[in-house]
Structure formats: structure tokens, C-alpha cells
Amino acid sequence: MDFVKDTIGKELSIFEKKFADAVKSQAPLLDRIMQYIIKRKGKQLRPMFVFLSAKLQSPVNESTYRAAALVELLHTATLVHDDVVDEAMERRGFFSINALWNNKITVLVGDYLLSKGLLLSTDNNDFEQLRILSRAVKQMSEGELLQIEKTRKLNLKEDIYFEIIRSKTASLLSSACAVGAWSTSQNEAISNKMGLFGEKIGIAFQIKDDLFDYGNDDVGKPTGNDIKEKKLTLPLIYTLNNIGKSRKRELIYIIKNENRDSKKIKEVIDTVVETGGIKYAIKQMNKYRDDALAILHEFPKTDIRDGLEKLVMYITERKY
């Protein structure tokens, strides 16, 4: 993503130092864990969206850096807690915090990250930014619980699926764009518009993740992994809602009871492909991508807008 370096490379470099300072602790164990978290950070897409959304309005300021740090603190806190809930031993190819330490320490680490984000905002009177991000955390929790409630019977309707990913995944990306825009514009209408832009691309991002489960590329995620974990993704939901009742019962039985059998998993994947589930998901992903670009194109054409457009295209065309 060379275009990122050209448009916000300086800001990201400064942000990395500020974020490292923001998570420092006087407690040796906690500081050691924070250093481990910093070293295994991901692509930092959300801070990228914060800075690009901010620069789309005006040059970044200290409030923008705090907004990016708040987004990353909350995102990291949710990932740490998710690893405990999912009993995950790995995250991004590294051992998870709970794998190296234990669940009790990991939950407390997540709480620490959350508290640092709250203090960062309240100490600097960034109350609107805190409100936007707090709403996202609320939506993420609601989405996770809705997914647990609705997927037990493996009979998920498409509208519920979109409600879940809008809350679970898209809400944080939406808030990243909204707080970025707010930090430089102080304009609620612009912030809301960028929040809607972020929501659209956040949904497209999740559908792209869904599609990885059915691909043959090396995407850092085993093919059929979602099926093994009984997760209902868009290609599978489409298939289950567009096949005969008898075949639907057979697939649900496989997902519930034979989800460790590689031949059975392949049977499900083949059925999804044959039924058109992949093509349908791609069509929906592109629709949300185009909706996001339509919102973006309401702003004047600049190098920053071009950078945001390239980031949107990267999200829907990425290989991992």
C-alpha cells in the first residue's frame, strides 16, 4: 500500500510513537504485555481511516492523533477479550495473550486498554470522540450477543446477518471515519457522513473475510475454518436459503456434527459454489463498496480522497 505512505506516512509514523507512549505502564508485567501487543500489531487499517478521514477535511491535529489512539486502544481491547471468549491460542500468526499468560491476566489487560482509552479522551476533553467510540463498543457487544443468540439453530436469515456484521465489524470502522472527520471539522453532518461511509466499507470488509473461507489462496486462514467453527457467513446463508429442504437439513447436519471431517467440509464448500453463494456474496460486497465510494465522491477530488478510494479498493481486493 505505497499510496498510504504518500498520503499519511508521516502521520502513521508519529502515531506509532504516540500509541506506544499511551499504553506504557508502571507495572512490569503489564508493560511487558503491552510491548508484546505493539510488536504484533496488524495492518492498522482503522488508524489509516482515521487519518485519511481527518485530512479529507483539514490537516491533522493532536485531537486526530488521540482519536486514532482511542480507536486502536478499543479495537485491541476487544481483540484481547475475544481471544478469551473464543479460547483462541493464536492471533495474526502469534501466540495470543491468553496462550502466553492466562485468561484472568488477559481480561485485565483488555480492561486496562479500555481504561487508557477512556482517560485519553476525558483528560483532553474529547467528549464527542468518546461518545462516538462508546456507541461503537456498545454495538459490538450487542452484535456479538445477537450472533450467539441467532446462530444456535443454524437458521440465520440474511437481514439478521447484516444486522450482526453492521454491529460487530462495521461499527468500529464507521466510528474511526467519524472521529477522524470530527477531529478536523468539528462538523456533525460531515462526521455522520463519514461514519456512514465507514459503515458501508466495514460491511464490505466482513463479506471479503467471509469469502476467504472458500478460496484457495494463501490468506492466512484455513479454507473451511468458519464452517468448522459453525459460523454462518454470507455465502453459506445464501446457499441454505436457496436449496431444497432435504439438502438444507443435510448441510446443517454436517455443520453441526461432521464439521471436523475434511471431506464433508469440502462437500459443503462445493455446494456453496454450485448454488451461487460465492457469486452472490461478491455481488453484495461490491454493492457496499460502490455505496461507500458514492458517499466519498460527494467530497471534492483531492490526493486524500484518491487515497481513501485506493484503501477501499484494497479492502475488497486484498488477498489476506
Side-chain angles (χ1 to χ4, degrees):
M1 293 190 290
D2 291 339
F3 67 90
V4 172
K5 294 180 182 178
D6 295 336
T7 52
I8 53 170
K10 178 183 175 182
E11 287 82 0
L12 284 173
S13 179
I14 295 171
F15 165 73
E16 287 185 6
K17 296 176 183 177
K18 287 180 177 290
F19 183 76
D21 289 338
V23 298
K24 281 183 178 178
S25 170
Q26 297 301 312
L29 173 60
L30 192 51
D31 196 51
R32 191 158 66 248
I33 296 173
M34 290 301 107
Q35 293 305 312
Y36 180 74
I37 287 174
I38 290 170
K39 287 180 181 178
R40 67 189 187 102
K41 65 182 182 297
K43 295 184 285 288
Q44 294 187 300
L45 283 174
R46 289 157 193 84
M48 290 180 193
F49 274 105
V50 171
F51 288 119
L52 286 168
S53 297
K55 290 189 76 173
L56 190 63
Q57 319 306 323
S58 296
V60 304
N61 52 46
E62 285 301 314
S63 176
T64 311
Y65 287 110
R66 291 194 298 270
L70 177 59
V71 169
E72 196 70 355
L73 283 164
L74 295 182
H75 180 231
T76 307
T78 61
L79 294 182
V80 167
H81 283 162
D82 281 350
D83 285 342
V84 175
V85 172
D86 297 337
E87 299 179 345
M89 293 294 105
E90 287 189 9
R91 167 73 65 177
R92 297 169 182 152
F94 294 89
F95 284 118
S96 61
I97 304 300
N98 47 305
L100 292 175
W101 286 274
N102 59 45
N103 285 347
K104 184 175 182 179
I105 288 175
T106 304
V107 170
L108 292 171
V109 166
D111 293 346
Y112 172 79
L113 289 164
L114 177 61
S115 68
K116 292 291 283 187
L118 295 174
L119 287 170
L120 181 65
S121 295
T122 55
D123 287 349
N124 292 281
N125 297 321
D126 295 327
F127 298 117
E128 179 60 18
Q129 293 178 181
L130 181 58
R131 185 187 69 80
I132 293 170
L133 266 300
S134 296
R135 188 169 56 204
V137 174
K138 168 180 169 289
Q139 290 176 309
M140 291 165 70
S141 300
E142 290 173 341
E144 191 73 52
L145 289 167
L146 180 62
Q147 184 176 47
I148 292 172
E149 176 190 357
K150 295 294 185 180
T151 58
R152 286 175 179 169
K153 295 182 179 179
L154 298 181
N155 192 27
L156 197 64
K157 299 298 182 184
E158 193 174 306
D159 60 337
I160 299 298
Y161 163 83
F162 278 109
E163 184 179 347
I164 289 170
I165 67 168
R166 184 175 286 108
S167 298
K168 269 191 65 177
T169 304
S171 61
L172 190 57
L173 198 51
S174 170
S175 65
C177 295
V179 294
W182 174 263
S183 72
T184 52
S185 72
Q186 302 287 295
N187 185 303
E188 185 176 356
I190 291 175
S191 178
N192 289 341
K193 181 181 289 189
M194 290 306 297
L196 182 59
F197 160 80
E199 179 183 285
K200 300 291 186 182
I201 194 57
I203 293 172
F205 178 94
Q206 183 57 57
I207 296 174
K208 182 66 174 181
D209 262 10
D210 289 357
L211 288 164
F212 283 150
D213 213 40
Y214 300 88
N216 296 315
D217 293 335
D218 180 12
V219 295
K221 182 178 182 181
T223 299
N225 193 53
D226 285 338
I227 298 171
K228 293 172 187 174
E229 295 179 4
K230 304 179 186 179
K231 291 182 180 178
L232 290 184
T233 56
L234 186 57
L236 183 56
I237 291 169
Y238 175 85
T239 297
L240 292 175
N241 291 332
N242 287 276
I243 56 175
K245 290 182 180 180
S246 176
R247 184 57 177 151
K248 180 177 180 178
R249 283 195 297 269
E250 290 172 0
L251 292 185
I252 289 176
Y253 182 85
I254 291 173
I255 297 165
K256 279 186 175 180
N257 305 294
E258 300 176 321
N259 55 20
R260 297 297 163 180
D261 186 328
S262 58
K263 290 184 179 179
K264 291 293 185 179
I265 293 296
K266 185 176 184 304
E267 181 182 337
V268 175
I269 292 173
D270 288 346
T271 303
V272 170
V273 174
E274 292 164 6
T275 311
I278 304 301
K279 290 182 179 179
Y280 178 76
I282 292 173
K283 180 181 177 181
Q284 290 298 308
M285 177 185 70
N286 290 339
K287 173 185 177 298
Y288 280 97
R289 177 202 64 196
D290 292 345
D291 287 347
L293 291 175
I295 295 171
L296 185 60
H297 289 165
E298 293 178 19
F299 293 92
K301 181 176 173 58
T302 62
D303 290 343
I304 300 302
R305 197 190 82 171
D306 289 346
L308 265 172
E309 185 169 340
K310 289 176 182 176
L311 190 54
V312 168
M313 299 307 295
Y314 165 80
I315 279 177
T316 53
E317 295 172 0
R318 62 199 164 101
K319 299 298 182 182
Y320 60 94

